[in-house]
Amino acid sequence: MPKATPSILAMQVRKYAPRQGVLLLLAAGFVALFYEQLSALDFSAIWGGFHAVGALQWAGALLATGCSFWAVGRYDAVVHRILATKTCEKQARRAGIAGIAISQTLGMGVFTGALVRWRMLPEVSLWQAMRLSAAVALSFLAGWAVVTGVAVALFSPMLPPWLALVPLAAVGVLITVSVFAPPLVLFNRHIQWPTLPAITSIIGLSVLDTMAAAVALYILLPDDVVISFATLYSAFLLALGAALVSGTPGGVGPFEVTLLALLPDVGAEPVLGAVLAFRAVYYALPALLGLALLARGAKPATQTPAILTKPATIPYLNGLIANAPFAEANLLRQGDKMLLSQTDNAAALIVASTGQTLTALRDPLNPQHTTDALQTLRRAALAQARIPCLYKCNARTAAHARRMGFRVLPIAQEVWLDPRKFTPDTPNHRQLRRKLRKSAAAGIIVTRPDTLPLSEMAAISDEWVRQNGGERRFSMGVFDPDFVQSQQVYLAMQNGQLQGFITLNTCHTEWSLDLMRQRGDAPDGTMHALLMQAIRDGAVANIPRLSLAALPYPQQNRLLKQILKQGTGNGLRQFKMSFGPNRQTLYIAAPNRAALCLAGFDIARAISPALRPPQDHYD
């Protein structure tokens, strides 16, 4: 068992002991208010009701209890995902079931639950276990509040059903904040809002957990108690809330008193007899099983972890990029990307967190391990309570994703050419030759210097950004001096003055066009001259593929197109098509249609410039 310093334990005891004392006093006062009603109870009848529970009732209640605790364990799994603890999910569920089973019976739920989790998760400190327990408690309370608000509004004859819209509206607000709001900044720390998958999981688990628990109690009621499940369920939820607020062991007292108060037309003794049986099957038995799990302690992790590595910590980064199957692997050098892999680094992907999604850019770095890479992406997204997404993958990767159950749609067309076979002296390159003649007549000279004039380049880039409403990001390069110096750069000079430049990402088998920046008054054909020189150098270097980057897919899904709003201007399209390139369809993939739309929205936000959509002017 991990060791905690006496000061930590003492601090937690001092923190929770007074609070628990206050809660116990409140619970005692709550019971005292109903002392007269409680003193009139026939306890022999209650005991008789307990003994009257039949074997089938016990079996049904046990089954419902198992269903409830199946959901209970998954509260912890979801919270571990939200907090990104990297704990094995199976271990998290076992610790959650044991922690809640024991703490709900002993009381002081957050503190006792933290001790259990601390014991069963060796990689977690006591302080982290306290955070986990508090987060689980808060997540359950949030889910309980929503479920209770809806159930009481729908099933109570004293309230109009439209009141169910109030908690649902609160959920809608939380989802809106999760999808649209930036991270919360608190004490100079960026705190992410819970993702949509996490929110829906917590609410769904709350429904399953509480409904299964209420079913267990309903099954244990004697036949002569005539009550609908809907009525019992709403009363059960409110009684459960009173028990949670009281903090007494098992909620004893406030739960029973509240339940009887909400069911005035039902005999108290039969209900309490069923509650006694319910406490045996839902509290005592799980607590004993939880103690058995606690005695066994931690079990070794059974799943291979997905490893997210920051590029700055990869010693072999240059070699990894040089040997990648696509030149855009250089985007790893930007700070918002990470390398996702298994322990052997064979099934690696370039990924970034984009709001609700964990998005992989392009294809696996080792195409022979595509299936393993996609499974790793799915596991890593699940561990963060995010949606797995592939963005701009090729047809081969898209086919693997489709076989794994992903929904796949074409998203873009990559235009590319073979520098070794390229010649501008063909009829379909008339526009290109005209642009090259204009740039040559204007005195444009293309150079590839060893030392870059970064200050002049930055000035041109800043002018371009102002004119075009900002830089697109995420899957597109931005002007960063450190990143630019790792690229292949061509400068366009006129009378000793810099007029524009392009940058290319490179690997052993491909060059890929990245930045295109020029002055607002640069001579016509400047960009064409720059790219033409890159093509000539590619032919000399025996590079089989030079990518001109992607254009939107012509017949793109209308809804996805509306979300992405990535209409490339005619000028940039004409510029690329003047080179007569080949086309390759690229795809976006996510688990389902709704996930595709959400992923498209997240990617659009990640790409979009801060000011307005850029208006390209390469015409």
Side-chain angles (χ1 to χ4, degrees):
M1 178 176 176
K3 300 298 182 183
T5 61
S7 60
I8 295 178
L9 286 172
M11 179 182 67
Q12 298 302 328
V13 171
R14 287 196 300 269
K15 178 180 178 181
Y16 282 94
R19 184 182 305 174
Q20 190 66 21
V22 172
L23 291 174
L24 288 173
L25 287 174
L26 289 174
F30 189 83
V31 174
L33 290 175
F34 296 89
Y35 175 77
E36 184 176 346
Q37 292 90 330
L38 293 175
S39 61
L41 292 173
D42 184 349
F43 289 96
S44 62
I46 295 173
W47 188 245
F50 173 81
H51 280 284
V53 175
L56 288 178
Q57 288 177 288
W58 286 115
L62 282 171
L63 184 62
T65 297
C67 184
S68 176
F69 273 87
W70 181 90
V72 161
R74 278 155 177 77
Y75 285 128
D76 272 62
V78 173
V79 170
H80 276 273
R81 295 170 199 166
I82 294 172
L83 298 179
T85 63
K86 301 180 182 179
T87 299
C88 169
E89 184 146 330
K90 190 172 182 179
Q91 287 182 321
R93 292 199 301 265
R94 290 178 71 252
I97 290 172
I100 293 176
I102 294 172
S103 63
Q104 73 172 7
T105 303
L106 296 182
M108 293 195 299
V110 173
F111 183 62
T112 52
L115 292 177
V116 174
R117 292 178 177 90
W118 179 49
R119 158 75 177 174
M120 298 189 66
L121 300 173
E123 73 278 9
V124 171
S125 68
L126 180 59
W127 169 243
Q128 291 172 322
M130 291 297 301
R131 287 183 62 212
L132 277 169
S133 291
V136 170
L138 287 174
S139 65
F140 172 75
L141 284 173
W144 167 85
V146 173
V147 175
T148 302
V150 173
V152 171
L154 291 179
F155 302 143
S156 174
M158 301 178 62
L159 296 175
W162 61 262
L163 282 179
L165 296 175
V166 175
L168 293 178
V171 173
V173 170
L174 180 58
I175 290 174
T176 301
V177 169
S178 172
V179 173
F180 293 98
L184 181 66
V185 180
L186 194 63
F187 302 113
N188 294 323
R189 293 184 61 187
H190 288 264
I191 301 174
Q192 295 288 342
W193 296 99
T195 61
L196 183 57
I199 294 170
T200 54
S201 293
I202 289 294
I203 294 174
L205 291 171
S206 299
V207 172
L208 180 59
D209 171 24
T210 56
M211 190 168 287
V215 166
L217 177 58
Y218 189 72
I219 291 172
L220 293 169
L221 288 171
D223 294 337
D224 57 350
V225 174
V226 180
I227 184 176
S228 69
F229 177 74
T231 301
L232 177 68
Y233 184 45
S234 56
F236 175 87
L237 287 169
L238 292 171
L240 179 62
L244 292 171
V245 171
S246 73
T248 60
V252 173
F255 177 84
E256 286 81 358
V257 169
T258 305
L259 190 65
L260 292 177
L262 294 170
L263 301 174
D265 299 329
V266 179
E269 287 81 0
V271 171
L272 291 178
V275 168
L276 189 60
F278 174 74
R279 290 198 173 280
V281 76
Y282 195 85
Y283 285 84
L285 181 59
L288 292 174
L289 295 175
L291 288 172
L293 288 174
L294 182 62
R296 293 182 62 185
K299 292 184 68 176
T302 58
Q303 66 185 37
T304 303
I307 302 171
L308 283 167
T309 309
K310 294 182 179 179
T313 64
I314 303 175
Y316 52 90
L317 179 63
N318 291 334
L320 180 73
I321 292 174
N323 293 298
F326 49 89
E328 282 185 319
N330 281 271
L331 292 175
L332 254 180
R333 301 184 192 276
Q334 296 183 349
D336 60 338
K337 315 295 189 305
M338 299 185 76
L339 183 70
L340 173 67
S341 65
Q342 294 177 324
T343 52
D344 57 2
N345 289 326
L349 287 161
I350 299 171
V351 300
S353 295
T354 51
Q356 308 295 315
T357 54
L358 181 66
T359 301
L361 285 167
R362 301 298 301 258
D363 306 290
L365 297 180
N366 188 339
Q368 295 180 352
H369 294 272
T370 297
T371 300
D372 290 341
L374 299 188
Q375 290 172 344
T376 302
L377 174 65
R378 180 178 275 171
R379 270 203 319 276
L382 179 65
Q384 298 181 15
R386 298 181 190 274
I387 298 168
C389 173
L390 292 163
Y391 182 58
K392 289 186 177 179
C393 64
N394 62 26
R396 181 178 181 276
T397 303
H400 278 270
R402 189 179 286 111
R403 286 195 293 271
M404 292 176 61
F406 280 66
R407 180 72 182 268
V408 177
L409 287 176
I411 189 72
Q413 281 187 330
E414 185 175 23
V415 290
W416 65 277
L417 50 83
D418 186 341
R420 302 168 302 178
K421 302 176 181 178
F422 183 82
T423 175
D425 301 322
T426 59
N428 62 332
H429 291 123
R430 286 191 299 271
Q431 182 187 5
L432 173 60
R433 291 194 299 272
R434 185 168 62 252
K435 295 290 186 179
L436 292 176
R437 286 194 297 269
K438 287 185 177 181
S439 64
I444 291 294
I445 299 174
V446 177
T447 65
R448 185 181 164 192
D450 294 329
T451 303
L452 298 176
L454 292 174
S455 59
E456 295 178 64
M457 293 171 65
I460 289 177
S461 181
D462 290 343
E463 178 188 347
W464 184 93
V465 168
R466 287 193 299 271
Q467 291 177 349
N468 291 272
E471 291 181 309
R472 291 178 177 263
R473 297 176 178 271
F474 182 59
S475 59
M476 304 181 186
V478 297
F479 185 84
D480 175 79
D482 293 333
F483 183 51
V484 166
Q485 291 182 86
S486 70
Q487 296 180 296
Q488 193 158 296
V489 181
Y490 292 88
L491 308 179
M493 309 296 296
Q494 182 189 48
N495 300 324
Q497 184 181 32
L498 182 63
Q499 295 295 318
F501 63 91
I502 63 171
T503 69
L504 291 95
N505 294 312
T506 64
C507 66
H508 288 334
T509 58
E510 183 186 56
W511 292 358
S512 178
L513 181 62
D514 187 28
L515 296 182
M516 300 171 63
R517 301 286 189 269
Q518 67 178 12
R519 296 183 185 277
D521 58 353
D524 190 15
T526 297
M527 286 293 112
H528 297 78
L530 285 164
L531 184 54
M532 190 64 228
Q533 185 58 51
I535 293 171
R536 295 190 188 102
D537 289 354
V540 173
N542 200 34
I543 296 298
R545 182 183 173 101
L546 193 153
S547 171
L548 308 186
L551 296 171
Y553 189 72
Q555 291 83 39
Q556 192 180 90
N557 176 273
R558 285 185 297 176
L559 180 58
L560 200 58
K561 186 175 183 178
Q562 180 64 26
I563 292 172
L564 286 170
K565 297 178 181 177
Q566 56 166 351
T568 300
N570 289 331
L572 184 56
R573 180 181 291 275
Q574 291 174 4
F575 166 76
K576 293 181 179 182
M577 298 312 294
S578 70
F579 289 84
N582 305 300
R583 305 187 192 191
Q584 178 186 6
T585 302
L586 303 178
Y587 299 85
I588 184 172
N592 51 59
R593 184 181 178 85
L596 270 176
C597 293
L598 194 58
F601 176 77
D602 281 341
I603 292 169
R605 291 184 68 196
I607 292 175
S608 296
L611 303 177
R612 61 179 175 83
Q615 304 294 318
D616 60 84
H617 56 277
Y618 300 117
D619 51 8

PDB file of all heavy atoms in Angstrom, residues 250-277:
ATOM      1  N   GLY A 250     -24.656   4.833   5.218  1.00  0.00           N
ATOM      2  CA  GLY A 250     -25.752   4.279   4.452  1.00  0.00           C
ATOM      3  C   GLY A 250     -26.929   5.206   4.315  1.00  0.00           C
ATOM      4  O   GLY A 250     -27.977   4.799   3.795  1.00  0.00           O
ATOM      5  N   GLY A 251     -26.801   6.444   4.760  1.00  0.00           N
ATOM      6  CA  GLY A 251     -27.936   7.364   4.723  1.00  0.00           C
ATOM      7  C   GLY A 251     -29.060   6.941   5.637  1.00  0.00           C
ATOM      8  O   GLY A 251     -30.219   7.353   5.446  1.00  0.00           O
ATOM      9  N   VAL A 252     -28.736   6.114   6.638  1.00  0.00           N
ATOM     10  CA  VAL A 252     -29.770   5.575   7.534  1.00  0.00           C
ATOM     11  C   VAL A 252     -30.472   6.717   8.272  1.00  0.00           C
ATOM     12  O   VAL A 252     -29.826   7.593   8.848  1.00  0.00           O
ATOM     13  CB  VAL A 252     -29.151   4.592   8.550  1.00  0.00           C
ATOM     14  CG1 VAL A 252     -30.190   4.169   9.581  1.00  0.00           C
ATOM     15  CG2 VAL A 252     -28.594   3.375   7.821  1.00  0.00           C
ATOM     16  N   GLY A 253     -31.770   6.683   8.272  1.00  0.00           N
ATOM     17  CA  GLY A 253     -32.572   7.709   8.935  1.00  0.00           C
ATOM     18  C   GLY A 253     -33.172   8.656   7.933  1.00  0.00           C
ATOM     19  O   GLY A 253     -34.385   8.570   7.625  1.00  0.00           O
ATOM     20  N   PRO A 254     -32.391   9.570   7.380  1.00  0.00           N
ATOM     21  CA  PRO A 254     -32.958  10.507   6.410  1.00  0.00           C
ATOM     22  C   PRO A 254     -33.564   9.812   5.195  1.00  0.00           C
ATOM     23  O   PRO A 254     -34.594  10.262   4.669  1.00  0.00           O
ATOM     24  CB  PRO A 254     -31.753  11.373   6.010  1.00  0.00           C
ATOM     25  CG  PRO A 254     -30.872  11.341   7.210  1.00  0.00           C
ATOM     26  CD  PRO A 254     -31.022   9.956   7.771  1.00  0.00           C
ATOM     27  N   PHE A 255     -32.961   8.724   4.713  1.00  0.00           N
ATOM     28  CA  PHE A 255     -33.508   8.022   3.556  1.00  0.00           C
ATOM     29  C   PHE A 255     -34.904   7.475   3.881  1.00  0.00           C
ATOM     30  O   PHE A 255     -35.866   7.685   3.124  1.00  0.00           O
ATOM     31  CB  PHE A 255     -32.573   6.887   3.141  1.00  0.00           C
ATOM     32  CG  PHE A 255     -33.090   6.064   1.991  1.00  0.00           C
ATOM     33  CD1 PHE A 255     -32.890   6.479   0.689  1.00  0.00           C
ATOM     34  CD2 PHE A 255     -33.786   4.887   2.214  1.00  0.00           C
ATOM     35  CE1 PHE A 255     -33.375   5.733  -0.379  1.00  0.00           C
ATOM     36  CE2 PHE A 255     -34.277   4.136   1.162  1.00  0.00           C
ATOM     37  CZ  PHE A 255     -34.065   4.558  -0.146  1.00  0.00           C
ATOM     38  N   GLU A 256     -35.020   6.777   5.007  1.00  0.00           N
ATOM     39  CA  GLU A 256     -36.296   6.155   5.357  1.00  0.00           C
ATOM     40  C   GLU A 256     -37.366   7.203   5.638  1.00  0.00           C
ATOM     41  O   GLU A 256     -38.527   7.076   5.185  1.00  0.00           O
ATOM     42  CB  GLU A 256     -36.124   5.253   6.578  1.00  0.00           C
ATOM     43  CG  GLU A 256     -35.392   3.949   6.302  1.00  0.00           C
ATOM     44  CD  GLU A 256     -33.883   4.106   6.260  1.00  0.00           C
ATOM     45  OE1 GLU A 256     -33.392   5.250   6.409  1.00  0.00           O
ATOM     46  OE2 GLU A 256     -33.189   3.091   6.078  1.00  0.00           O
ATOM     47  N   VAL A 257     -36.992   8.225   6.384  1.00  0.00           N
ATOM     48  CA  VAL A 257     -37.964   9.252   6.747  1.00  0.00           C
ATOM     49  C   VAL A 257     -38.485   9.968   5.502  1.00  0.00           C
ATOM     50  O   VAL A 257     -39.695  10.209   5.350  1.00  0.00           O
ATOM     51  CB  VAL A 257     -37.341  10.252   7.738  1.00  0.00           C
ATOM     52  CG1 VAL A 257     -38.251  11.467   7.920  1.00  0.00           C
ATOM     53  CG2 VAL A 257     -37.091   9.581   9.085  1.00  0.00           C
ATOM     54  N   THR A 258     -37.571  10.317   4.595  1.00  0.00           N
ATOM     55  CA  THR A 258     -37.977  11.007   3.367  1.00  0.00           C
ATOM     56  C   THR A 258     -38.855  10.112   2.505  1.00  0.00           C
ATOM     57  O   THR A 258     -39.869  10.557   1.937  1.00  0.00           O
ATOM     58  CB  THR A 258     -36.736  11.458   2.579  1.00  0.00           C
ATOM     59  OG1 THR A 258     -35.903  12.260   3.418  1.00  0.00           O
ATOM     60  CG2 THR A 258     -37.134  12.264   1.347  1.00  0.00           C
ATOM     61  N   LEU A 259     -38.471   8.846   2.390  1.00  0.00           N
ATOM     62  CA  LEU A 259     -39.241   7.920   1.561  1.00  0.00           C
ATOM     63  C   LEU A 259     -40.671   7.770   2.090  1.00  0.00           C
ATOM     64  O   LEU A 259     -41.645   7.807   1.322  1.00  0.00           O
ATOM     65  CB  LEU A 259     -38.540   6.567   1.509  1.00  0.00           C
ATOM     66  CG  LEU A 259     -39.085   5.549   0.498  1.00  0.00           C
ATOM     67  CD1 LEU A 259     -38.881   6.065  -0.923  1.00  0.00           C
ATOM     68  CD2 LEU A 259     -38.397   4.201   0.671  1.00  0.00           C
ATOM     69  N   LEU A 260     -40.818   7.621   3.405  1.00  0.00           N
ATOM     70  CA  LEU A 260     -42.155   7.484   3.990  1.00  0.00           C
ATOM     71  C   LEU A 260     -42.968   8.765   3.835  1.00  0.00           C
ATOM     72  O   LEU A 260     -44.179   8.719   3.599  1.00  0.00           O
ATOM     73  CB  LEU A 260     -42.039   7.115   5.471  1.00  0.00           C
ATOM     74  CG  LEU A 260     -41.471   5.716   5.779  1.00  0.00           C
ATOM     75  CD1 LEU A 260     -41.349   5.519   7.280  1.00  0.00           C
ATOM     76  CD2 LEU A 260     -42.355   4.639   5.160  1.00  0.00           C
ATOM     77  N   ALA A 261     -42.296   9.900   3.980  1.00  0.00           N
ATOM     78  CA  ALA A 261     -43.009  11.175   3.843  1.00  0.00           C
ATOM     79  C   ALA A 261     -43.541  11.368   2.427  1.00  0.00           C
ATOM     80  O   ALA A 261     -44.600  11.981   2.222  1.00  0.00           O
ATOM     81  CB  ALA A 261     -42.089  12.328   4.224  1.00  0.00           C
ATOM     82  N   LEU A 262     -42.816  10.846   1.438  1.00  0.00           N
ATOM     83  CA  LEU A 262     -43.225  11.010   0.041  1.00  0.00           C
ATOM     84  C   LEU A 262     -44.210   9.940  -0.417  1.00  0.00           C
ATOM     85  O   LEU A 262     -44.780  10.038  -1.507  1.00  0.00           O
ATOM     86  CB  LEU A 262     -41.989  10.985  -0.871  1.00  0.00           C
ATOM     87  CG  LEU A 262     -41.024  12.161  -0.686  1.00  0.00           C
ATOM     88  CD1 LEU A 262     -39.729  11.915  -1.448  1.00  0.00           C
ATOM     89  CD2 LEU A 262     -41.672  13.467  -1.155  1.00  0.00           C
ATOM     90  N   LEU A 263     -44.402   8.911   0.414  1.00  0.00           N
ATOM     91  CA  LEU A 263     -45.358   7.838   0.100  1.00  0.00           C
ATOM     92  C   LEU A 263     -46.377   7.718   1.233  1.00  0.00           C
ATOM     93  O   LEU A 263     -46.461   6.699   1.926  1.00  0.00           O
ATOM     94  CB  LEU A 263     -44.615   6.509  -0.098  1.00  0.00           C
ATOM     95  CG  LEU A 263     -43.552   6.469  -1.204  1.00  0.00           C
ATOM     96  CD1 LEU A 263     -42.800   5.144  -1.176  1.00  0.00           C
ATOM     97  CD2 LEU A 263     -44.187   6.702  -2.571  1.00  0.00           C
ATOM     98  N   PRO A 264     -47.165   8.751   1.484  1.00  0.00           N
ATOM     99  CA  PRO A 264     -48.067   8.749   2.652  1.00  0.00           C
ATOM    100  C   PRO A 264     -49.198   7.734   2.546  1.00  0.00           C
ATOM    101  O   PRO A 264     -49.769   7.345   3.573  1.00  0.00           O
ATOM    102  CB  PRO A 264     -48.610  10.180   2.677  1.00  0.00           C
ATOM    103  CG  PRO A 264     -48.538  10.637   1.251  1.00  0.00           C
ATOM    104  CD  PRO A 264     -47.309   9.981   0.686  1.00  0.00           C
ATOM    105  N   ASP A 265     -49.526   7.316   1.349  1.00  0.00           N
ATOM    106  CA  ASP A 265     -50.658   6.397   1.177  1.00  0.00           C
ATOM    107  C   ASP A 265     -50.255   4.934   1.245  1.00  0.00           C
ATOM    108  O   ASP A 265     -51.082   4.046   1.023  1.00  0.00           O
ATOM    109  CB  ASP A 265     -51.342   6.667  -0.175  1.00  0.00           C
ATOM    110  CG  ASP A 265     -51.901   8.080  -0.258  1.00  0.00           C
ATOM    111  OD1 ASP A 265     -52.300   8.616   0.793  1.00  0.00           O
ATOM    112  OD2 ASP A 265     -51.916   8.647  -1.372  1.00  0.00           O
ATOM    113  N   VAL A 266     -49.001   4.683   1.524  1.00  0.00           N
ATOM    114  CA  VAL A 266     -48.498   3.307   1.589  1.00  0.00           C
ATOM    115  C   VAL A 266     -48.144   2.993   3.038  1.00  0.00           C
ATOM    116  O   VAL A 266     -47.576   3.837   3.750  1.00  0.00           O
ATOM    117  CB  VAL A 266     -47.268   3.129   0.680  1.00  0.00           C
ATOM    118  CG1 VAL A 266     -46.740   1.703   0.766  1.00  0.00           C
ATOM    119  CG2 VAL A 266     -47.612   3.487  -0.754  1.00  0.00           C
ATOM    120  N   GLY A 267     -48.442   1.804   3.489  1.00  0.00           N
ATOM    121  CA  GLY A 267     -48.133   1.427   4.860  1.00  0.00           C
ATOM    122  C   GLY A 267     -46.643   1.513   5.151  1.00  0.00           C
ATOM    123  O   GLY A 267     -45.813   1.054   4.358  1.00  0.00           O
ATOM    124  N   ALA A 268     -46.301   2.100   6.314  1.00  0.00           N
ATOM    125  CA  ALA A 268     -44.895   2.315   6.641  1.00  0.00           C
ATOM    126  C   ALA A 268     -44.162   0.999   6.874  1.00  0.00           C
ATOM    127  O   ALA A 268     -43.028   0.820   6.412  1.00  0.00           O
ATOM    128  CB  ALA A 268     -44.784   3.211   7.873  1.00  0.00           C
ATOM    129  N   GLU A 269     -44.769   0.070   7.638  1.00  0.00           N
ATOM    130  CA  GLU A 269     -44.062  -1.168   7.988  1.00  0.00           C
ATOM    131  C   GLU A 269     -43.695  -2.011   6.770  1.00  0.00           C
ATOM    132  O   GLU A 269     -42.555  -2.487   6.672  1.00  0.00           O
ATOM    133  CB  GLU A 269     -44.901  -1.985   8.978  1.00  0.00           C
ATOM    134  CG  GLU A 269     -44.949  -1.439  10.390  1.00  0.00           C
ATOM    135  CD  GLU A 269     -45.964  -0.313  10.539  1.00  0.00           C
ATOM    136  OE1 GLU A 269     -46.620   0.027   9.526  1.00  0.00           O
ATOM    137  OE2 GLU A 269     -46.099   0.248  11.653  1.00  0.00           O
ATOM    138  N   PRO A 270     -44.608  -2.239   5.814  1.00  0.00           N
ATOM    139  CA  PRO A 270     -44.207  -3.012   4.625  1.00  0.00           C
ATOM    140  C   PRO A 270     -43.073  -2.344   3.835  1.00  0.00           C
ATOM    141  O   PRO A 270     -42.176  -3.029   3.341  1.00  0.00           O
ATOM    142  CB  PRO A 270     -45.493  -3.078   3.797  1.00  0.00           C
ATOM    143  CG  PRO A 270     -46.596  -2.869   4.773  1.00  0.00           C
ATOM    144  CD  PRO A 270     -46.056  -1.938   5.802  1.00  0.00           C
ATOM    145  N   VAL A 271     -43.125  -1.011   3.730  1.00  0.00           N
ATOM    146  CA  VAL A 271     -42.076  -0.302   2.998  1.00  0.00           C
ATOM    147  C   VAL A 271     -40.737  -0.427   3.728  1.00  0.00           C
ATOM    148  O   VAL A 271     -39.689  -0.704   3.122  1.00  0.00           O
ATOM    149  CB  VAL A 271     -42.451   1.179   2.800  1.00  0.00           C
ATOM    150  CG1 VAL A 271     -41.257   1.963   2.242  1.00  0.00           C
ATOM    151  CG2 VAL A 271     -43.644   1.299   1.870  1.00  0.00           C
ATOM    152  N   LEU A 272     -40.764  -0.266   5.052  1.00  0.00           N
ATOM    153  CA  LEU A 272     -39.514  -0.346   5.808  1.00  0.00           C
ATOM    154  C   LEU A 272     -38.967  -1.771   5.830  1.00  0.00           C
ATOM    155  O   LEU A 272     -37.741  -1.973   5.888  1.00  0.00           O
ATOM    156  CB  LEU A 272     -39.729   0.172   7.229  1.00  0.00           C
ATOM    157  CG  LEU A 272     -39.985   1.684   7.334  1.00  0.00           C
ATOM    158  CD1 LEU A 272     -40.226   2.080   8.783  1.00  0.00           C
ATOM    159  CD2 LEU A 272     -38.802   2.470   6.762  1.00  0.00           C
ATOM    160  N   GLY A 273     -39.841  -2.774   5.801  1.00  0.00           N
ATOM    161  CA  GLY A 273     -39.365  -4.145   5.686  1.00  0.00           C
ATOM    162  C   GLY A 273     -38.613  -4.352   4.384  1.00  0.00           C
ATOM    163  O   GLY A 273     -37.556  -5.005   4.339  1.00  0.00           O
ATOM    164  N   ALA A 274     -39.163  -3.797   3.303  1.00  0.00           N
ATOM    165  CA  ALA A 274     -38.485  -3.882   2.011  1.00  0.00           C
ATOM    166  C   ALA A 274     -37.183  -3.084   2.023  1.00  0.00           C
ATOM    167  O   ALA A 274     -36.176  -3.508   1.441  1.00  0.00           O
ATOM    168  CB  ALA A 274     -39.407  -3.373   0.904  1.00  0.00           C
ATOM    169  N   VAL A 275     -37.188  -1.919   2.689  1.00  0.00           N
ATOM    170  CA  VAL A 275     -35.966  -1.109   2.781  1.00  0.00           C
ATOM    171  C   VAL A 275     -34.886  -1.871   3.546  1.00  0.00           C
ATOM    172  O   VAL A 275     -33.694  -1.818   3.189  1.00  0.00           O
ATOM    173  CB  VAL A 275     -36.265   0.242   3.445  1.00  0.00           C
ATOM    174  CG1 VAL A 275     -34.980   0.973   3.804  1.00  0.00           C
ATOM    175  CG2 VAL A 275     -37.129   1.112   2.533  1.00  0.00           C
ATOM    176  N   LEU A 276     -35.287  -2.592   4.599  1.00  0.00           N
ATOM    177  CA  LEU A 276     -34.316  -3.386   5.361  1.00  0.00           C
ATOM    178  C   LEU A 276     -33.678  -4.441   4.460  1.00  0.00           C
ATOM    179  O   LEU A 276     -32.452  -4.649   4.490  1.00  0.00           O
ATOM    180  CB  LEU A 276     -35.013  -4.027   6.559  1.00  0.00           C
ATOM    181  CG  LEU A 276     -34.119  -4.719   7.584  1.00  0.00           C
ATOM    182  CD1 LEU A 276     -33.121  -3.742   8.183  1.00  0.00           C
ATOM    183  CD2 LEU A 276     -34.971  -5.351   8.689  1.00  0.00           C
ATOM    184  N   ALA A 277     -34.504  -5.120   3.665  1.00  0.00           N
ATOM    185  CA  ALA A 277     -33.958  -6.100   2.723  1.00  0.00           C
ATOM    186  C   ALA A 277     -33.097  -5.417   1.672  1.00  0.00           C
ATOM    187  O   ALA A 277     -32.051  -5.956   1.252  1.00  0.00           O
ATOM    188  CB  ALA A 277     -35.106  -6.856   2.063  1.00  0.00           C
TER     189      ALA A 277
END
